[in-house]
Amino acid sequence: MSPSAARVAVLTSGGDAQAMNAAVRAVVRTVLHAGGEAFGVHEGYDGLAGPEADLRPLGWDDVSRILDRGGTVLGTARSEAFRQREGRRRAAIRLVQNRIDRLVVIGGDGSLTGALRFHDEWPELVADAVEAGELTASQAQQHARLTVLGVPGSIDNDLPGTDVAIGTDSALRQIVDAIDALEATASSHQRTFVVEVMGRNCGYLAAAGAIAGGADYVLVPEAPPEPQWPEQMCELLAAGRSAGRRNSVVVVAEGARDRQGDPITVAAVRALIEDRLGDETRISVPGHVQRGGTPSAGDRITASLLGHAAGRLAATGRRPADAQLLGIRGTEVTIAPLRDALRAAGRIAELSTTGDSAGVRALRGAAFKDLLATSTAMVRALPPARREVTRRIAVLVEGDLAPGMNAAVRALVRLGLPAGVQLLRADGGLLGLTQGRVEPLEWKSVCGWASQAGSQIIAGDAVAVGGAAVVEALQRQAIDGIVILGGWPAFAQAARLEGLGFPVVVLPATIAADVPGSASSVGADSALNWIVTNADRIRHLGTSQVRCVIAETAGRTCGYLPTLTGIAGGAVRVYAPEEDVTADDIRSDARRLADSVGAGQRLGLVVRGEQALGELTTDELCRAFDEGGEGRFTMHQVVPGQTQFGGGPSPADRLLAAQFARCAVVWLTSPMSTGVVVTAIRGGLVEAVPWDEVRGDADLAAGRRTDTWWADLAVISEALSNRPGTSSRLRDEFARSPGGFARSSLVVPAG
Ligand code: F6P
């Protein structure tokens, strides 16, 4: 290392969160690529401020095999020592003595508040140490300021400035797994379960868990219920039971309060239900299980992107003058002053104490408001007493199945009925609709569908049907509009229905995420998790053999699935269909892996999209790597094939399904609802996007979308899995924009 190489310390602090390790790995490896040196502070701030310093250099191999491990290998703490000025003074001295003035802190708002304070006090702390003779004036001059980069890591997802924090998605999976598991026992006994969900003063996990788990009532701090909530809740639960449900689930956020500011406890909710309804009621508190388990694919991706951005900013380019917070907005990595986010967090805390919940909701942001509105609408979706049908809408499925399709139909039915929308299932797609294979879907028809795999509605094969036949079928069956679930085939069918004078909604539900106009689709997250779980199994076979694993993903012409699998799985190479790859490229990729093996690498994951690499089969790709590897590694294949389309939907897919459904119902009941729209997630928000707009993002002849927002991300996967110096592509990338970032949105503030 050169004497001027950037020296960057990283620490994890506060409550641990799944995928903190993935973030540490990304920070360290990015710093090494940029020619810097990385250091790990152990046991949170205690490793700097406690009686004994615990600050150690971290090399490439020190962060190997941690991408899929929960918790944090650095250890964490809620440090008392760092809360004291003397502790922070000790921390500053230790960093300067180690020639470090760049710090990446991975944690929640408490940890990042500490980081900001440390940043602001730094010059003073260093000056004090000089005066006391513990640092020299020249040391102080060389480390006149501290660069602080905050990475949001907390299951609570309570930090303004990011859509999502590291750990939230995995915690949600733990919660939804618990609710799913309770379903069987609750139904057997016809019981009610009251489930307490973590999140301190933030209701994100509770609201999202209630939607994804198909709960019947939810209480969150941001929406203190009306004074008559006990009657209202009991009425809802009783109505659900008399409509045929065999169990009820009430989700209570640990910070839930009433309008007087008094806590609403699970014990109180249980007592209410037993007294008023006589239901046998049990309490379930998943507790710290919510912070356990392996990190989900989504969390590994969030952590890798944020850690990479933080490492890059810390080690290269212009160092931001003020402390910064990295975050995710939609599909973009963002950077903003940490003090702004913490000011907003402080304001939220203030408004919560004064009971201004509208103010709290506003500050939590648009995506949170949307989530809350969806959860309120879903749990309020009673079987309507009076039936006023204003619209009859056919719902059908075209093409391959995707996990979460049933959750979407359930939400359409449950949200549609109270809004006067009667959903009718059409089996066999558009063709089935014209053949009259149509049945109404009632509130009870969709009981239990939130967690079900596959599609209850029989999918069509995207058979071309003439517009006149569709119009005639709608008139004959008094149907006012159509919702089509699916991927590209659904989109292609919708293209045929344009201009026919009735409303059509495409609800993207495909593991390929290939529907134009939407950043993602229902089913993609479940498939991603499944492929990554499969790849992990090979990883866990141990290190006695050096292995090269080729994973083949579905995804047709779209690189979303292989690219995101690459990041979540730690791939050394991603072959996406959008990239032109030659036989020479493959040979040199194999040679590069062989070189890395020589340098100590034990596993090389290579991901290929099924339609990447032209005619080259996965068997042939394996042979090419085998030859190029010259016996340095053994070859393995993971080809999950049809299993990617099956299995129950992940929480993220269930959430997206409900949000798309809500968007579809709102649009279908609005006076403007004619023509074709796609329910889309863009910039983290769900909206109905008109056909004219999405068509611009489609190459109908080639059967592919043209906006490939993920394309830049493959290089990050490769940077985090290939040792410095082994890839000329990465060397070039870092040389081209040392202070920049593969994603164009990351603009470094002037230093
Ligand atoms: O902030 C994360 C979190 O898990 C909260 O959801 C919860 O209230 C708290 O930490 C629990 O803290 P501890 O692990 O110290 O019991």
Side-chain angles (χ1 to χ4, degrees), residues 515-603:
V515 176
S518 183
S520 188
S521 62
V522 174
D525 183 69
S526 309
L528 198 54
N529 275 291
W530 177 241
I531 304 162
V532 169
T533 301
N534 275 283
D536 281 354
R537 288 187 169 214
I538 297 223
R539 191 193 304 277
H540 297 159
L541 283 173
T543 53
S544 58
Q545 277 179 356
V546 182
R547 298 169 197 273
C548 172
V549 181
I550 309 237
E552 180 191 302
T553 73
R556 280 190 347 106
T557 56
C558 181
Y560 176 101
L561 206 51
T563 307
L564 295 194
T565 299
I567 299 175
V572 293
R573 181 70 163 103
V574 175
Y575 298 118
E578 293 89 2
E579 192 193 348
D580 286 328
V581 179
T582 64
D584 274 351
D585 293 333
I586 294 173
R587 267 192 293 278
S588 85
D589 291 338
R591 265 199 309 276
R592 188 179 74 222
L593 182 57
D595 291 347
S596 298
V597 166
Q601 181 133 356
R602 310 292 302 169
L603 175 82

Side-chain angles (χ1 to χ4, degrees), residues 397-402 405 459-460 485-487 489 509-511 556 642 645:
V397 177
E398 290 285 9
D400 288 328
L401 302 188
M405 282 180 160
L485 271 66
T510 162
I511 66 169
R556 280 190 347 106
Q642 285 295 307
F645 298 87

Side-chain angles (χ1 to χ4, degrees), residues 15 78 154-156 198-200 254 288 291:
R78 302 192 196 278
S154 164
I155 64 164
D156 301 349
M198 275 189 174
R200 273 183 212 275
E254 63 176 343
H288 288 78
R291 297 216 305 249

Side-chain angles (χ1 to χ4, degrees), residues 77-316:
R78 302 192 196 278
S79 172
E80 196 38 55
F82 195 70
R83 282 197 191 107
Q84 313 304 323
R85 189 176 190 278
E86 179 50 24
R88 295 193 292 280
R89 199 181 74 91
R90 261 204 305 265
I93 293 171
R94 284 165 176 164
L95 285 175
V96 172
Q97 283 171 341
N98 283 282
R99 292 185 287 122
I100 298 170
D101 53 19
R102 301 161 195 237
L103 184 62
V104 177
V105 177
I106 304 165
D109 66 344
S111 307
L112 297 178
T113 302
L116 182 62
R117 187 152 192 201
F118 192 37
H119 169 272
D120 291 351
E121 283 178 354
W122 178 268
E124 228 178 76
L125 297 171
V126 170
D128 281 7
V130 173
E131 207 173 301
E134 289 162 289
L135 293 175
T136 65
S138 128
Q139 280 176 315
Q141 200 187 4
Q142 277 163 28
H143 303 286
R145 65 187 174 95
L146 177 71
T147 296
V148 165
L149 297 168
V151 173
S154 164
I155 64 164
D156 301 349
N157 204 22
D158 57 350
L159 206 65
T162 185
D163 287 353
V164 68
I166 296 166
T168 307
D169 185 51
S170 311
L172 191 56
R173 179 201 57 206
Q174 301 296 93
I175 292 164
V176 173
D177 280 356
I179 297 177
D180 285 356
L182 290 173
E183 183 92 18
T185 175
S187 297
S188 309
H189 291 264
Q190 298 201 46
R191 278 177 177 159
T192 295
F193 271 84
V194 185
V195 183
E196 184 185 285
V197 163
M198 275 189 174
R200 273 183 212 275
N201 296 316
C202 179
Y204 179 92
L205 284 174
I211 298 171
D216 307 289
Y217 201 76
V218 62
L219 290 152
V220 295
E222 292 83 355
E226 291 149 27
Q228 62 279 20
W229 71 269
E231 293 81 35
Q232 220 178 50
M233 173 183 73
C234 291
E235 204 181 291
L236 279 164
L237 298 184
R241 286 299 181 94
S242 52
R245 218 185 32 237
R246 286 185 59 85
N247 66 71
S248 315
V249 174
V250 177
V251 173
V252 184
E254 63 176 343
R257 296 186 177 270
D258 64 20
R259 293 204 176 173
Q260 270 66 54
D262 294 325
I264 301 177
T265 65
V266 280
V269 175
R270 173 192 180 166
L272 266 172
I273 296 170
E274 287 195 330
D275 288 353
R276 295 182 187 215
L277 296 177
D279 285 1
E280 230 189 314
T281 306
R282 296 285 186 271
I283 289 172
S284 180
V285 183
H288 288 78
V289 167
Q290 291 163 89
R291 297 216 305 249
T294 54
S296 68
D299 270 334
R300 297 187 207 183
I301 294 166
T302 303
S304 299
L305 297 185
L306 294 179
H308 174 73
R312 199 139 179 175
L313 271 178
T316 59

